[in-house]
Amino acid sequence: LVVLYQKKTLPEDLASRPGLPIDFTDVSALTAIFKEQTIDVVISTLPFPEGQKAQFILADAAKAAGCVKLFVPSEWSSPTEGARDREEKNFWGLKDEFAEYLKSIELPFTRFYTGSFFSAVPWIGALDVSEDFHVIGKGDKLLSITSETDIGGYVAHVLTNYPLTSPELVNRSLRIEGQSITLTEIAAIYGKRIVYVPDGGQITAVSAEEAYMKTELQTAAQDGHLSNGWDWKSWNYNPELAASANKLWPGHVWQTLESTVEKK
């Protein structure tokens, strides 16, 4: 999904705004759409790694259009800044590589680090295929999680309440966090028994691809990489970083997992 945003008054019924067919392989066509619609912000939620190539084309078109003031790359997870220099070949490294490209073409950007979505939490612990919550390691390291409602509200708030040229936004990485929590605490919230996965084992999943992804994420969690306090550059966890950009939405009460989960 790519959201094309004009910073002006929108109709109350957003459904009345027409969708635009987009060819992610055609820079010229995308450039024309951005110009015709006078697009101010491009928000990308394209998946990785499938959407990696398309994002480069989007960025080239946004730069060529001349009207795009801010590009929001598809981050929507734990921090990636500095992962490329650490020669990470996973999606953290790929996302950081794209951000470096935005810098190279001088296209202003804002990176949103949100931690894991609330809806992804049971999936990470295999609750989509098991009655038990599966954990790699001790499950005692903090990870950042944020509700989709809070993420959407935050992005809308900062993009409409701050100038798009604001130093709070331009070429910034915004770390937001609804809750800092461990995997064992998550299991308790769901009221589930914990199954500890043996060394070298994988998290249960519906496919080999999903098992790999779940295992990769849980291994990262055990190393502290799923906290928004993780800093790839210093290879260290800094708790002061985790929710450092929450302050840009003053007065907001962030949802907790407990408030959204009904124990069974």
Side-chain angles (χ1 to χ4, degrees), residues 8-204:
K8 60 184 182 182
T9 302
L10 294 175
E12 291 185 7
D13 179 15
L14 290 178
S16 66
R17 297 290 290 180
L20 297 173
I22 295 178
D23 181 354
F24 290 110
T25 66
D26 192 333
V27 173
S28 297
L30 284 167
T31 301
I33 289 174
F34 294 160
K35 286 183 177 179
E36 289 167 6
Q37 301 295 322
T38 58
I39 296 301
D40 293 316
V41 183
V42 176
I43 303 174
S44 172
T45 59
L46 292 170
F48 270 75
E50 303 94 321
Q52 173 81 334
K53 183 177 180 180
Q55 272 211 136
F56 282 94
I57 296 172
L58 272 176
D60 289 341
K63 179 67 177 181
C67 57
V68 176
K69 298 182 179 67
L70 202 64
F71 192 103
V72 177
S74 187
E75 294 280 354
W76 319 116
S77 184
S78 52
T80 64
E81 191 169 349
R84 188 194 69 154
D85 292 341
R86 288 282 180 178
E87 298 184 351
E88 293 288 327
K89 303 302 181 183
N90 46 35
F91 74 90
W92 287 282
L94 288 174
K95 290 184 176 185
D96 194 36
E97 177 184 317
F98 178 70
E100 291 299 321
Y101 181 71
L102 293 177
K103 293 178 186 177
S104 73
I105 64 174
E106 299 183 344
L107 181 61
F109 61 85
T110 306
R111 301 163 81 171
F112 289 91
Y113 299 143
T114 63
S116 299
F117 292 3
F118 276 14
S119 63
V121 169
W123 177 84
I124 292 173
L127 290 185
D128 58 322
V129 292
S130 173
E131 285 298 313
D132 300 319
F133 196 87
H134 294 224
V135 170
I136 286 178
K138 296 181 179 179
D140 59 348
K141 296 294 180 66
L142 291 172
L143 60 150
S144 300
I145 60 174
T146 310
S147 76
E148 290 88 329
T149 299
D150 281 344
I151 293 168
Y154 181 89
V155 173
H157 175 80
V158 298
L159 293 182
T160 56
N161 284 273
Y162 292 85
L164 296 179
T165 56
S166 168
E168 298 284 5
L169 299 179
V170 175
N171 299 346
R172 291 293 301 275
S173 297
L174 302 183
R175 299 175 186 237
I176 64 173
E177 179 184 77
Q179 190 171 5
S180 185
I181 196 168
T182 68
L183 289 172
T184 55
E185 290 170 338
I186 290 171
I189 289 171
Y190 280 98
K192 298 296 184 180
R193 183 175 71 97
I194 295 177
V195 172
Y196 290 98
V197 178
D199 289 345
Q202 286 194 319
I203 301 294
T204 303

Side-chain angles (χ1 to χ4, degrees), residues 198-249:
D199 289 345
Q202 286 194 319
I203 301 294
T204 303
V206 297
S207 67
E209 182 180 5
E210 283 200 7
Y212 172 81
M213 179 57 71
K214 290 179 180 181
T215 302
E216 184 86 352
L217 289 171
Q218 284 227 21
T219 301
Q222 186 61 23
D223 292 336
H225 301 173
L226 290 195
S227 169
N228 282 354
W230 178 253
D231 181 21
W232 286 99
K233 294 180 179 179
S234 65
W235 198 257
N236 196 20
Y237 167 72
N238 181 351
E240 294 183 1
L241 290 176
S244 55
N246 284 26
K247 62 186 178 183
L248 297 184
W249 198 2

